[in-house]
Amino acid sequence: MQLKNNEKYKNYFVNKKYNITTFGCQMNEHDSERISYILEDLGYTKTDDRNDADFILFNTCLVRENAELKLYGQVSSLKKLKEENPEKIIAVSGCMMQTSVAREVIEKKHKEVDIIFGTKNINSLPDLLFKYLETGERVIDVSEDNVKDDYVNYNSKNNFQAYVNIMRGCDNFCSYCIVPQSRGREESRRPSHIIEEIENLVKNGYKEITLLGQNVNSYGNKSDFNVTFPELLEKCAKIEGLQRLRFTTSHPKDLSDDLIRVIKENDNICNYFHLPMQSGSDKVLKDMNRKYNKEQYLEKARKLKEEIPGIAISTDIIVGYPTETEEDFQETLDVCRKVGFDTAFTFKYSPRPKTKAAKLDPIDDKIVQDRFDRLLDTLYPIFNEKNKEYVGKVVEVLLESESKNNKNVLTGRTDTFKLVHVKADKNLIGQIVKVKITDNTSFTISGELVQD
């Protein structure tokens, strides 16, 4: 049913408000930006108060069980609100809805949900809304039709930073990961579309662009155009006026010397590299289907640091994978000490439906928690030492927002992705300023504005 030009609802949304809750990664955040644009194009305005919203959306993540449980709890909390205000529309989208197991939980146990759609059906949201208003019955769209080479509009989180999708999906099939099922197989956007999108953003004053993909390093692999990720990155870096360029996420097996060279040779590509390790054990890495071993990972980290002095490296680590022994865990700690990560995203293993690892017997929760605690005990002093190296230095910081705890303090990021606190007027938000670092913790650095 095509209802996009439905005149009956032409001005229906003008005085209505929407609220979006986003779980998960930057890809989900960017999807929410696209949804926000669609809703505002219809006439909605944004509200941070869920109780005040006429349209409530949860954009979901299925990578970790914790996000899934949070969703069920938050949706359940709206039952009473829906009963008191039947005209409120509640929708659930994203990765969870792309898989039958999670979708069936919402369908059967959460009757308060009116609209369900997947990661590939965002552009159909106006049709789904109109259809629901016409019928009053739940509407579901989780079709697998991908929109290829789409140039999409979206509401960025601010007017100086933006995400740009360069590809969707993943072909790696790590044994613990559900992304290939929820996001589909790899598809790369055409370079010309990506370049055009970034050029328009820069013309509109955006200073920092982050290229997004489940594995950006495999960009172009199955395409009919002959452009690799290092080549695309170099093209993007040459766009006139672009001050900062980031990308995420990279798979270690595909990190090439060409990519390191491009980062080294282009000053506006940030000196920050997210290199997910997951485990330091060769056995566990093989069980995870990661396609690299400990020494190969260490060599790639060594090359990054050798070729790009001062580069910051972050990682992902999973503790308690079903086949992990204490000896395997010690190998992970060994890599942490040898690489000296600037930060890390750490997780306790949680089984995901329809993955190979979900069929394995889990490790006792107490053992997993003990290892997790010891991992953090190892990492935090390393983070502290890495941040301490900044004390006394003058760094450039893109100021992003007011501090949640102190309105007189602004927070921002260095090009190495260090979180910086500095006393400054809020009029400087969105500007790149110089800050002399005077103090640090394991997670932040702080300093004083340097006056030109």
Side-chain angles (χ1 to χ4, degrees):
M1 182 185 293
Q2 290 297 315
L3 297 169
K4 287 179 182 176
N5 297 316
N6 193 318
E7 290 296 318
K8 181 177 179 181
Y9 298 105
K10 186 174 182 180
N11 298 311
Y12 180 84
F13 308 103
V14 171
N15 295 315
K16 296 190 179 296
K17 300 177 182 179
Y18 74 93
N19 175 273
I20 299 176
T21 300
T22 306
F23 300 90
C25 65
Q26 292 99 327
M27 195 75 75
N28 276 23
E29 290 180 28
H30 191 44
D31 284 349
S32 290
E33 291 176 347
R34 293 173 56 197
I35 294 168
S36 176
Y37 179 88
I38 290 170
L39 292 172
E40 292 186 14
D41 192 49
L42 288 171
Y44 279 102
T45 56
K46 184 179 179 181
T47 176
D48 294 327
D49 184 355
R50 196 179 288 168
N51 293 321
D52 192 37
D54 301 283
F55 180 88
I56 302 169
L57 173 82
F58 296 94
N59 188 11
T60 63
C61 173
L62 196 57
V63 173
R64 307 290 172 197
E65 185 179 24
N66 189 42
E68 187 177 349
L69 296 176
K70 280 185 180 179
L71 170 77
Y72 295 143
Q74 293 197 30
V75 172
S76 293
S77 71
L78 296 181
K79 285 182 181 179
K80 185 177 179 181
L81 191 64
K82 178 72 173 177
E83 289 171 0
E84 294 173 349
N85 302 273
E87 292 187 358
K88 284 186 183 288
I89 301 173
I90 300 174
V92 181
S93 67
C95 296
M96 279 181 65
M97 298 303 97
Q98 207 67 49
T99 58
S100 59
V101 176
R103 188 170 65 248
E104 286 173 4
V105 172
I106 294 294
E107 288 184 46
K108 293 177 180 178
K109 295 185 178 182
H110 296 277
K111 302 301 181 183
E112 64 274 18
V113 175
D114 305 304
I115 298 175
I116 296 171
F117 60 101
T119 58
K120 303 175 184 179
N121 317 109
I122 292 173
N123 292 343
S124 299
L125 179 55
D127 290 2
L128 303 180
L129 266 169
F130 293 140
K131 187 174 181 180
Y132 172 73
L133 291 171
E134 281 289 306
T135 65
E137 297 178 357
R138 173 181 281 171
V139 181
I140 301 174
D141 186 2
V142 288
S143 61
E144 291 295 319
D145 296 332
N146 240 337
V147 181
K148 297 184 179 181
D149 284 343
D150 56 329
Y151 181 83
V152 296
N153 291 308
Y154 46 87
N155 289 337
S156 298
K157 58 184 177 180
N158 53 49
N159 60 4
F160 51 89
Q161 293 171 305
Y163 295 127
V164 172
N165 273 340
I166 66 169
M167 61 189 300
R168 297 186 180 87
C170 184
D171 287 351
N172 286 311
F173 290 93
C174 299
S175 64
Y176 54 84
C177 184
I178 199 168
V179 167
Q181 291 95 315
S182 62
R183 287 281 178 179
R185 304 301 294 272
E186 285 182 2
E187 274 191 299
S188 299
R189 290 179 66 199
R190 290 193 172 279
S192 58
H193 291 205
I194 296 167
I195 297 298
E196 180 186 3
E197 186 172 343
I198 296 174
E199 285 176 341
N200 284 334
L201 288 165
V202 172
K203 286 176 184 176
N204 284 305
Y206 284 81
K207 294 180 172 63
E208 181 178 283
I209 303 297
T210 301
L211 307 181
L212 295 181
Q214 242 66 51
N215 175 21
V216 294
N217 291 350
S218 60
Y219 172 84
N221 280 359
K222 300 192 303 182
S223 65
D224 59 359
F225 49 82
N226 188 28
V227 176
T228 65
F229 179 60
E231 291 168 340
L232 173 70
L233 190 65
E234 193 155 37
K235 289 176 184 288
C236 294
K238 301 301 182 188
I239 294 174
E240 186 176 353
L242 177 57
Q243 296 183 47
R244 283 187 173 186
L245 182 59
R246 300 187 186 275
F247 57 88
T248 192
T249 290
S250 294
H251 196 296
K253 72 179 177 63
D254 299 315
L255 171 54
S256 66
D257 290 345
D258 272 348
L259 180 54
I260 295 174
R261 176 189 58 78
V262 170
I263 298 170
K264 180 180 180 179
E265 293 178 356
N266 292 274
D267 291 339
N268 60 348
I269 300 178
C270 292
N271 286 347
Y272 168 76
F273 205 105
H274 186 63
L275 193 65
M277 173 179 69
Q278 309 302 0
S279 173
S281 160
D282 289 351
K283 176 176 72 66
V284 174
L285 287 170
K286 184 176 180 180
D287 292 342
M288 288 178 166
N289 193 36
R290 290 293 288 173
K291 299 182 177 69
Y292 57 84
N293 59 35
K294 175 182 177 180
E295 288 307 313
Q296 289 169 334
Y297 183 91
L298 287 170
E299 175 60 15
K300 290 177 187 289
R302 184 196 66 77
K303 276 188 178 181
L304 280 168
K305 291 192 171 189
E306 182 180 274
E307 294 295 322
I308 311 169
I311 193 169
I313 300 177
S314 64
T315 196
D316 293 343
I317 301 172
I318 295 174
V319 174
Y321 185 82
T323 62
E324 181 187 76
T325 64
E326 176 61 26
E327 182 179 3
D328 295 322
F329 175 66
Q330 290 297 327
E331 293 292 327
T332 296
L333 297 183
D334 184 55
V335 174
C336 291
R337 296 184 186 105
K338 286 179 177 175
V339 173
F341 295 113
D342 288 77
T343 192
F345 301 89
T346 55
F347 308 94
K348 290 182 282 187
Y349 169 77
S350 60
R352 301 288 73 211
K354 298 185 177 180
T355 60
K356 288 186 177 181
K359 300 174 184 177
L360 302 172
D361 292 332
I363 299 173
D364 182 87
D365 288 343
K366 290 182 180 179
I367 294 175
V368 176
Q369 185 62 52
D370 175 67
R371 290 177 187 168
F372 188 77
D373 292 341
R374 284 187 284 146
L375 174 64
L376 299 186
D377 287 343
T378 300
L379 287 172
Y380 287 174
I382 295 173
F383 300 164
N384 188 65
E385 287 302 311
K386 300 297 289 187
N387 285 347
K388 191 180 291 185
E389 294 173 4
Y390 283 74
V391 175
K393 294 181 179 179
V394 174
V395 295
E396 291 190 340
V397 179
L398 175 55
L399 296 176
E400 299 178 2
S401 63
E402 292 178 323
S403 168
K404 294 178 181 179
N405 301 319
N406 188 340
K407 294 298 183 182
N408 295 319
V409 173
L410 301 185
T411 64
R413 298 276 180 179
T414 65
D415 79 322
T416 54
F417 209 64
K418 298 291 183 181
L419 183 63
V420 180
H421 295 292
V422 59
K423 283 187 177 181
D425 190 280
K426 66 180 180 180
N427 292 332
L428 289 175
I429 291 175
Q431 302 301 312
I432 296 176
V433 300
K434 291 181 179 180
V435 177
K436 183 174 182 179
I437 303 303
T438 57
D439 200 5
N440 76 282
T441 69
S442 293
F443 310 104
T444 64
I445 55 179
S446 56
E448 303 168 345
L449 279 179
V450 175
Q451 302 298 329
D452 291 330

Coordinates of all heavy atoms in Angstrom, one line a residue, residues 19-79:
N19 N 9.3 11.0 20.2 CA 10.4 10.7 21.1 C 11.1 9.4 20.6 O 10.4 8.4 20.4 CB 9.9 10.6 22.5 CG 11.0 10.1 23.5 OD1 11.3 8.9 23.7 ND2 11.7 11.1 24.1
I20 N 12.4 9.4 20.5 CA 13.1 8.2 20.0 C 14.1 7.8 21.1 O 14.9 8.6 21.6 CB 13.9 8.5 18.7 CG1 12.9 8.8 17.6 CG2 14.7 7.2 18.3 CD1 13.6 9.2 16.3
T21 N 14.1 6.5 21.4 CA 15.1 5.9 22.3 C 16.0 5.0 21.5 O 15.4 4.1 20.8 CB 14.5 5.2 23.5 OG1 13.7 6.1 24.3 CG2 15.6 4.6 24.4
T22 N 17.3 5.2 21.5 CA 18.2 4.4 20.6 C 19.1 3.5 21.5 O 19.7 4.0 22.4 CB 19.1 5.3 19.8 OG1 18.2 6.2 19.0 CG2 19.9 4.5 18.8
F23 N 19.1 2.3 21.1 CA 20.0 1.3 21.8 C 21.1 0.9 20.8 O 20.8 0.9 19.6 CB 19.3 0.0 22.2 CG 18.2 0.2 23.2 CD1 16.9 0.5 22.7 CD2 18.4 0.2 24.5 CE1 15.8 0.7 23.6 CE2 17.4 0.4 25.4 CZ 16.1 0.6 25.0
G24 N 22.3 0.7 21.2 CA 23.3 0.1 20.4 C 24.4 1.1 19.8 O 24.7 2.1 20.4
C25 N 24.8 0.7 18.6 CA 26.0 1.3 18.0 C 25.7 2.6 17.2 O 24.6 3.1 17.1 CB 26.7 0.3 17.1 SG 25.6 -0.1 15.6
Q26 N 26.8 3.2 16.6 CA 26.7 4.4 15.8 C 25.8 4.2 14.6 O 25.1 5.1 14.2 CB 28.0 4.9 15.4 CG 28.9 5.4 16.5 CD 29.9 4.3 16.9 OE1 29.6 3.1 16.9 NE2 31.1 4.7 17.3
M27 N 25.7 2.9 14.1 CA 24.9 2.7 13.0 C 23.4 2.9 13.4 O 22.6 3.4 12.6 CB 25.1 1.2 12.5 CG 24.5 0.9 11.1 SD 25.4 1.6 9.8 CE 26.8 0.5 9.7
N28 N 23.1 2.4 14.6 CA 21.7 2.6 15.1 C 21.4 4.1 15.3 O 20.3 4.6 15.1 CB 21.5 1.8 16.4 CG 21.1 0.4 16.1 OD1 21.4 -0.1 15.0 ND2 20.5 -0.3 17.1
E29 N 22.4 4.8 15.9 CA 22.3 6.2 16.1 C 22.0 6.9 14.8 O 21.1 7.8 14.7 CB 23.5 6.8 16.7 CG 23.8 6.4 18.2 CD 25.0 7.0 18.7 OE1 25.4 8.1 18.2 OE2 25.7 6.4 19.6
H30 N 22.7 6.5 13.7 CA 22.5 7.2 12.4 C 21.1 6.8 11.9 O 20.4 7.6 11.2 CB 23.6 6.7 11.5 CG 23.6 7.5 10.2 ND1 23.4 8.9 10.1 CD2 23.7 7.1 8.9 CE1 23.5 9.3 8.9 NE2 23.6 8.3 8.1
D31 N 20.7 5.6 12.1 CA 19.3 5.2 11.7 C 18.3 6.0 12.4 O 17.3 6.5 11.7 CB 19.0 3.7 12.0 CG 19.7 2.8 11.0 OD1 20.2 3.2 10.0 OD2 19.8 1.5 11.3
S32 N 18.5 6.3 13.6 CA 17.6 7.2 14.4 C 17.6 8.6 13.8 O 16.5 9.3 13.8 CB 17.9 7.2 15.9 OG 17.6 6.0 16.5
E33 N 18.7 9.1 13.3 CA 18.8 10.4 12.7 C 17.9 10.4 11.4 O 17.3 11.4 11.1 CB 20.2 10.7 12.4 CG 21.1 11.0 13.6 CD 22.5 11.3 13.3 OE1 23.0 11.0 12.1 OE2 23.3 11.7 14.2
R34 N 18.0 9.3 10.7 CA 17.1 9.2 9.5 C 15.7 9.2 9.8 O 14.8 9.9 9.2 CB 17.5 7.9 8.7 CG 18.9 7.9 8.1 CD 19.2 6.6 7.5 NE 18.3 6.1 6.5 CZ 18.1 4.9 6.1 NH1 18.9 3.9 6.6 NH2 17.2 4.6 5.2
I35 N 15.3 8.5 10.9 CA 13.9 8.4 11.3 C 13.4 9.8 11.8 O 12.3 10.2 11.5 CB 13.7 7.3 12.4 CG1 14.0 5.9 11.8 CG2 12.3 7.4 13.0 CD1 14.1 4.9 12.9
S36 N 14.3 10.5 12.5 CA 14.0 11.8 13.0 C 13.7 12.7 11.8 O 12.7 13.5 11.9 CB 15.2 12.3 13.8 OG 14.9 13.7 14.2
Y37 N 14.5 12.7 10.8 CA 14.2 13.5 9.6 C 12.9 13.2 9.0 O 12.1 14.1 8.6 CB 15.3 13.3 8.6 CG 15.1 14.2 7.3 CD1 15.6 15.5 7.3 CD2 14.4 13.7 6.3 CE1 15.4 16.3 6.2 CE2 14.1 14.5 5.1 CZ 14.6 15.8 5.1 OH 14.4 16.6 4.0
I38 N 12.5 11.9 8.8 CA 11.3 11.5 8.2 C 10.1 12.1 9.1 O 9.1 12.6 8.5 CB 11.2 10.0 8.1 CG1 12.2 9.5 7.1 CG2 9.8 9.5 7.8 CD1 12.4 8.0 7.0
L39 N 10.2 11.9 10.4 CA 9.1 12.4 11.3 C 8.9 13.9 11.2 O 7.8 14.4 11.1 CB 9.4 11.9 12.7 CG 9.3 10.4 12.9 CD1 9.8 10.0 14.3 CD2 7.9 9.9 12.7
E40 N 10.0 14.6 11.2 CA 9.9 16.1 11.2 C 9.5 16.5 9.8 O 8.8 17.6 9.7 CB 11.3 16.7 11.6 CG 11.6 16.5 13.0 CD 12.8 17.2 13.5 OE1 13.3 18.1 12.8 OE2 13.3 16.8 14.6
D41 N 9.8 15.8 8.8 CA 9.3 16.1 7.4 C 7.8 16.0 7.3 O 7.1 16.7 6.6 CB 10.0 15.2 6.4 CG 9.7 15.7 5.0 OD1 9.9 16.9 4.7 OD2 9.3 14.8 4.1
L42 N 7.2 15.0 8.1 CA 5.8 14.9 8.2 C 5.1 16.0 9.0 O 3.9 16.2 8.9 CB 5.4 13.5 8.8 CG 5.7 12.3 8.0 CD1 5.5 11.0 8.9 CD2 4.8 12.2 6.8
G43 N 5.9 16.6 9.9 CA 5.3 17.7 10.7 C 5.5 17.5 12.2 O 5.2 18.5 13.0
Y44 N 6.0 16.4 12.6 CA 6.3 16.2 14.1 C 7.4 17.1 14.6 O 8.3 17.5 13.8 CB 6.8 14.7 14.3 CG 5.7 13.7 14.4 CD1 5.5 12.8 13.3 CD2 5.0 13.5 15.6 CE1 4.5 11.8 13.4 CE2 4.1 12.5 15.6 CZ 3.8 11.6 14.5 OH 2.9 10.6 14.6
T45 N 7.4 17.4 15.9 CA 8.5 18.1 16.5 C 9.1 17.1 17.6 O 8.3 16.3 18.2 CB 8.1 19.4 17.1 OG1 7.0 19.2 18.0 CG2 7.7 20.4 16.0
K46 N 10.3 17.3 17.9 CA 11.0 16.4 18.9 C 10.7 16.8 20.3 O 10.7 18.0 20.6 CB 12.5 16.4 18.6 CG 13.3 15.4 19.5 CD 14.8 15.5 19.1 CE 15.6 14.6 20.0 NZ 17.0 14.6 19.7
T47 N 10.6 15.8 21.2 CA 10.5 16.1 22.6 C 11.3 15.0 23.4 O 11.4 13.9 22.9 CB 9.0 16.0 23.2 OG1 9.1 16.2 24.6 CG2 8.4 14.7 22.8
D48 N 12.0 15.5 24.4 CA 12.8 14.6 25.3 C 11.9 13.9 26.3 O 12.4 13.0 27.0 CB 13.9 15.3 25.9 CG 14.9 15.8 24.9 OD1 15.1 15.1 23.9 OD2 15.5 16.9 25.2
D49 N 10.7 14.3 26.5 CA 9.7 13.8 27.5 C 8.8 12.7 26.8 O 7.9 13.1 26.0 CB 8.9 14.9 28.1 CG 8.0 14.4 29.2 OD1 7.9 13.2 29.4 OD2 7.3 15.3 29.8
R50 N 9.1 11.5 27.1 CA 8.3 10.4 26.5 C 6.8 10.5 26.8 O 6.0 10.2 26.0 CB 8.9 9.0 27.0 CG 8.4 7.8 26.2 CD 9.0 6.6 26.8 NE 10.5 6.5 26.5 CZ 11.3 5.6 27.1 NH1 10.8 4.8 28.0 NH2 12.5 5.6 26.8
N51 N 6.5 11.0 28.0 CA 5.1 11.1 28.4 C 4.4 12.1 27.5 O 3.2 12.1 27.4 CB 5.0 11.5 29.9 CG 5.4 10.4 30.8 OD1 5.2 9.2 30.5 ND2 6.1 10.7 31.8
D52 N 5.1 13.1 27.0 CA 4.6 14.2 26.2 C 4.5 13.9 24.7 O 3.9 14.6 23.9 CB 5.4 15.5 26.4 CG 4.7 16.7 25.9 OD1 3.5 16.8 26.0 OD2 5.4 17.6 25.4
A53 N 5.0 12.7 24.3 CA 5.1 12.4 22.9 C 3.9 11.7 22.4 O 3.2 10.9 23.1 CB 6.3 11.4 22.7
D54 N 3.5 12.0 21.2 CA 2.4 11.4 20.5 C 2.9 10.1 19.7 O 2.1 9.2 19.5 CB 1.8 12.3 19.5 CG 1.3 13.6 20.1 OD1 0.2 13.5 20.8 OD2 2.0 14.6 20.0
F55 N 4.2 10.1 19.4 CA 4.8 9.0 18.7 C 6.0 8.6 19.4 O 6.9 9.4 19.6 CB 5.1 9.3 17.2 CG 5.7 8.2 16.5 CD1 5.0 7.3 15.8 CD2 7.1 8.1 16.4 CE1 5.5 6.3 15.0 CE2 7.7 7.0 15.7 CZ 6.9 6.1 15.0
I56 N 6.1 7.4 20.0 CA 7.2 6.9 20.8 C 7.9 5.7 20.0 O 7.2 4.7 19.7 CB 6.8 6.4 22.1 CG1 6.1 7.6 22.9 CG2 7.9 5.9 23.0 CD1 5.3 7.1 24.1
L57 N 9.2 5.9 19.8 CA 9.9 4.8 19.0 C 11.1 4.3 19.8 O 11.8 5.1 20.4 CB 10.4 5.4 17.7 CG 11.3 4.5 16.9 CD1 10.5 3.5 16.1 CD2 12.2 5.2 15.9
F58 N 11.3 3.0 19.7 CA 12.5 2.4 20.3 C 13.2 1.8 19.1 O 12.7 0.9 18.4 CB 12.1 1.3 21.3 CG 11.4 1.7 22.5 CD1 10.0 1.7 22.5 CD2 12.1 2.2 23.6 CE1 9.3 2.2 23.7 CE2 11.4 2.6 24.7 CZ 10.0 2.6 24.8
N59 N 14.5 2.3 18.9 CA 15.3 1.7 17.8 C 16.3 0.8 18.5 O 17.1 1.1 19.3 CB 16.1 2.9 17.2 CG 16.8 2.4 15.9 OD1 16.7 1.3 15.5 ND2 17.7 3.2 15.4
T60 N 16.2 -0.5 18.2 CA 16.7 -1.6 19.0 C 18.1 -2.1 18.5 O 18.4 -2.0 17.4 CB 15.7 -2.7 19.1 OG1 15.5 -3.3 17.8 CG2 14.4 -2.3 19.6
C61 N 18.7 -2.8 19.5 CA 20.0 -3.5 19.2 C 19.9 -4.9 19.7 O 19.3 -5.2 20.8 CB 21.1 -2.7 20.0 SG 22.7 -3.6 19.9
L62 N 20.5 -5.8 19.0 CA 20.4 -7.2 19.4 C 21.8 -7.8 19.7 O 22.0 -9.0 19.9 CB 19.8 -8.0 18.3 CG 19.2 -9.4 18.6 CD1 18.2 -9.4 19.7 CD2 18.6 -10.0 17.3
V63 N 22.9 -7.0 19.6 CA 24.2 -7.5 19.8 C 24.5 -8.0 21.2 O 25.2 -9.0 21.4 CB 25.2 -6.4 19.4 CG1 26.7 -6.8 19.7 CG2 25.1 -6.0 17.9
R64 N 23.9 -7.3 22.2 CA 24.1 -7.7 23.6 C 22.7 -8.0 24.2 O 21.7 -7.3 24.0 CB 24.8 -6.6 24.4 CG 26.1 -6.2 23.8 CD 27.2 -7.2 23.9 NE 28.3 -6.8 23.1 CZ 29.3 -7.6 22.7 NH1 29.3 -8.8 23.0 NH2 30.3 -7.1 22.0
E65 N 22.6 -9.0 25.1 CA 21.4 -9.4 25.7 C 20.9 -8.2 26.6 O 19.7 -8.0 26.7 CB 21.6 -10.6 26.6 CG 20.3 -11.2 27.2 CD 20.6 -12.4 28.0 OE1 21.7 -12.6 28.4 OE2 19.6 -13.2 28.2
N66 N 21.8 -7.5 27.2 CA 21.4 -6.4 28.1 C 20.5 -5.4 27.4 O 19.5 -4.9 28.0 CB 22.6 -5.7 28.7 CG 22.3 -4.8 29.8 OD1 21.5 -5.1 30.7 ND2 23.0 -3.6 29.8
A67 N 20.9 -5.0 26.2 CA 20.0 -4.0 25.5 C 18.7 -4.6 25.1 O 17.7 -3.9 25.2 CB 20.8 -3.6 24.2
E68 N 18.6 -5.9 24.9 CA 17.4 -6.5 24.6 C 16.4 -6.5 25.8 O 15.3 -6.2 25.7 CB 17.6 -8.0 24.2 CG 16.4 -8.8 23.7 CD 16.8 -10.2 23.2 OE1 18.0 -10.4 23.1 OE2 15.9 -11.0 23.0
L69 N 17.0 -6.8 27.0 CA 16.2 -6.8 28.2 C 15.7 -5.4 28.6 O 14.6 -5.2 29.1 CB 17.0 -7.5 29.3 CG 17.4 -8.9 29.2 CD1 18.3 -9.4 30.3 CD2 16.2 -9.8 29.1
K70 N 16.6 -4.4 28.3 CA 16.2 -3.0 28.6 C 15.0 -2.7 27.8 O 14.1 -2.0 28.2 CB 17.4 -2.1 28.3 CG 18.4 -2.0 29.4 CD 19.4 -0.9 29.0 CE 20.5 -0.8 30.1 NZ 21.5 0.2 29.7
L71 N 15.0 -3.1 26.5 CA 13.9 -2.8 25.6 C 12.6 -3.3 26.2 O 11.6 -2.6 26.3 CB 14.1 -3.3 24.2 CG 12.9 -3.2 23.3 CD1 12.7 -1.8 22.9 CD2 12.9 -4.2 22.2
Y72 N 12.6 -4.6 26.5 CA 11.3 -5.2 27.0 C 10.8 -4.5 28.2 O 9.6 -4.3 28.4 CB 11.6 -6.7 27.3 CG 11.9 -7.6 26.1 CD1 12.9 -8.6 26.3 CD2 11.4 -7.4 24.9 CE1 13.2 -9.4 25.2 CE2 11.7 -8.1 23.8 CZ 12.6 -9.1 24.0 OH 13.0 -9.9 22.9
G73 N 11.7 -4.1 29.1 CA 11.3 -3.4 30.3 C 10.7 -2.0 30.0 O 9.7 -1.6 30.6
Q74 N 11.3 -1.3 29.1 CA 10.9 0.0 28.8 C 9.6 0.0 28.0 O 8.7 0.9 28.2 CB 11.9 0.8 28.0 CG 13.2 1.1 28.8 CD 14.0 2.2 28.2 OE1 13.6 3.1 27.6 NE2 15.3 2.1 28.5
V75 N 9.4 -1.0 27.1 CA 8.1 -1.1 26.4 C 7.0 -1.4 27.3 O 5.9 -0.9 27.3 CB 8.2 -2.1 25.3 CG1 6.9 -2.4 24.6 CG2 9.2 -1.7 24.2
S76 N 7.3 -2.4 28.3 CA 6.3 -2.8 29.3 C 5.8 -1.6 30.1 O 4.6 -1.5 30.5 CB 6.8 -3.8 30.2 OG 7.0 -5.0 29.5
S77 N 6.8 -0.7 30.4 CA 6.4 0.5 31.2 C 5.4 1.4 30.5 O 4.8 2.3 31.2 CB 7.7 1.3 31.6 OG 8.2 2.0 30.4
L78 N 5.2 1.3 29.2 CA 4.3 2.1 28.5 C 2.9 1.6 28.4 O 2.0 2.3 27.8 CB 4.8 2.4 27.1 CG 6.1 3.1 27.0 CD1 6.5 3.3 25.5 CD2 6.1 4.5 27.7
K79 N 2.6 0.4 28.9 CA 1.3 -0.2 28.8 C 0.2 0.7 29.4 O -0.8 1.0 28.8 CB 1.3 -1.5 29.6 CG 2.0 -2.7 28.8 CD 1.9 -4.0 29.5 CE 2.6 -5.1 28.7 NZ 2.5 -6.4 29.4

